[in-house]
Each structure stands twice: as structure tokens, then as C-alpha cells.
Amino acid sequence: MLVSAASTLLGAILRLVTSAQGHWQGCPPSAEQRIYFANHQSHVDWVLIWATLPADLRQRTRPIAARDYWQASRLRHWLTREVFNAVYVNRQRTDDQDPLEPLVEALHGGDSIVIFPEGTRGHAVVPQAFKSGLFHLAQAFPQVPLVPVWMSNVQKVLPKNEVVPVPMLCVATYGTPLQLEPDEEKAAFLARTRQALLDLGQARGDLDASGGPA
């Protein structure tokens, strides 16, 4: 009951602050297993995606959360563990640790996941170059569709190093699912998936025709 109440309260607060909207342009919401990948500019990025998913999808769609940050306080840890069912990853790891192991385990369990291929939050509207994790997941799970998600205005709600949110309309735009092409090389795949995000940003008017800030 406590988890349900926290989920309801958090959703209400998020709608008040962001009027969170989900625009499913390239695909409908579906219970099929998916890997959602999105631009990353704020600690509330995942929460916006969570708020725009239908309730039945929230239970099986798990965010990737940095263990050192989200377990730094009892409240953060409880929220990510009990409400969001997060997959924790270590940003500081030893050479013998596979950073993708927790994600692979979640996907083998049938869950969908949400990842941020830039690997870290950026200050600019334009996404940074993607790291290789999305490519390796696409190789390991070729049957799982990759859905780009462009998030608008989230960095204005809670900029990096800020703790007080600013009310702002936020939109998560879901694009057309992608998959790794046969014999596609890593660099080409990462450029193509990043471009899918840029295309959504341009369609939203957040980016200009060249892919720069509008």
C-alpha cells in the first residue's frame, strides 16, 4: 500500500510540475519487451518516461540507475528500488566487472529497460556521442525493438546541480522502433540510433535542420 501511495503521489506531483505528456508517434504503447533509449539531461529524465507510460507498462519497464547516486540516501534508494524497480549499475567499477551484466539480466528476465546511451547527463540540448552499450545490447537481444525517446524541456525543470524544480511543460516523444542491421558495424549503428533521436528533436522543434539547438 505504501508503494502504491508513493507512486500515486509522485505521479500527481510530476503532472503538476511538468504536465508530463507522452506522444507515441512512431509506435503505440505495447506490452512487448522493448529497450527504450533517450537523451539524458536531468535526474528526472526517467521519471518523465515513467509518468508517460501506461500503468500496465510501468511494472515491467525498468530504468538504469547509477548506484552511487540513487543509493546515497534512504529515500532515493527506496524510491528506485520499490517504486521504479530500477536496475542499478556501478559508474566506478573494476576491470573484471561487466557494466552491462545487470541490464542483460533484466532483459533475460523479460523486462523492458530504459537507458541513456550518452552515459552521463549533458548541459546542451544536443545529445553527446553514444557509448557502445546500446550496440552490445542490440547484438545480444536482436529480437527486442529499440525505441528512441526524445524528451523536451526536462533540463529546464531540474538543471544539473539544482534541487528545486521549475514548472515546465515536458513531453516524451516515442519514435519508430529500430533494430541492429545484419553486419552493421558499431560506429554506423551508434550514429544511426543517435540520428533517430535528433530527428525526433527536430520534429519537436527543439533542434534546427542541422541538428543544433533551435
Side-chain angles (χ1 to χ4, degrees), residues 24-202:
W24 296 83
Q25 292 188 352
C27 62
S30 171
E32 70 174 341
Q33 187 181 33
R34 290 171 170 173
I35 297 173
Y36 298 95
F37 65 96
N39 51 320
H40 192 24
Q41 296 186 338
S42 168
H43 281 310
V44 298
D45 288 342
W46 153 248
V47 185
L48 175 63
I49 294 178
W50 173 83
T52 59
L53 289 173
D56 60 327
L57 298 190
R58 293 177 187 172
Q59 298 178 1
R60 297 305 301 269
T61 305
R62 305 176 64 187
I64 307 308
R67 186 184 301 275
D68 60 313
Y69 178 83
W70 288 105
Q71 291 187 348
S73 74
R74 294 179 65 182
L75 178 59
R76 289 181 197 170
H77 189 194
W78 184 84
L79 282 172
T80 50
R81 184 186 70 243
E82 300 295 336
V83 178
F84 298 137
N85 192 24
V87 178
Y88 294 108
V89 295
N90 294 318
R91 290 191 289 191
Q92 303 296 326
R93 54 185 179 272
T94 61
D95 292 339
D96 61 348
Q97 287 180 316
D98 180 1
L100 296 181
E101 184 177 353
L103 287 67
V104 169
E105 183 178 345
L107 289 167
H108 275 310
D111 293 326
S112 296
I113 62 173
V114 179
I115 68 171
F116 302 98
E118 298 166 76
T120 186
R121 289 171 294 141
H123 293 283
V125 175
V126 180
Q128 303 174 67
F130 283 7
K131 296 187 176 180
S132 60
L134 184 63
F135 173 75
H136 294 305
L137 291 176
Q139 279 187 317
F141 298 90
Q143 78 283 4
V144 179
L146 313 169
V147 178
V149 186
W150 177 263
M151 294 186 293
S152 301
N153 291 334
V154 187
Q155 75 278 12
K156 298 177 183 177
V157 173
L158 193 65
K160 197 169 185 177
N161 299 323
E162 297 293 334
V163 295
V164 179
V166 178
M168 181 75 62
L169 173 64
C170 295
V171 177
T173 303
Y174 296 81
T176 301
L178 307 171
Q179 288 182 302
L180 180 67
E181 300 291 342
D183 301 320
E184 186 173 18
E185 295 185 356
K186 179 173 67 175
F189 170 82
L190 294 177
R192 181 166 66 90
T193 50
R194 180 175 178 271
Q195 186 60 51
L197 269 188
L198 296 178
D199 291 344
L200 291 176
Q202 290 171 348

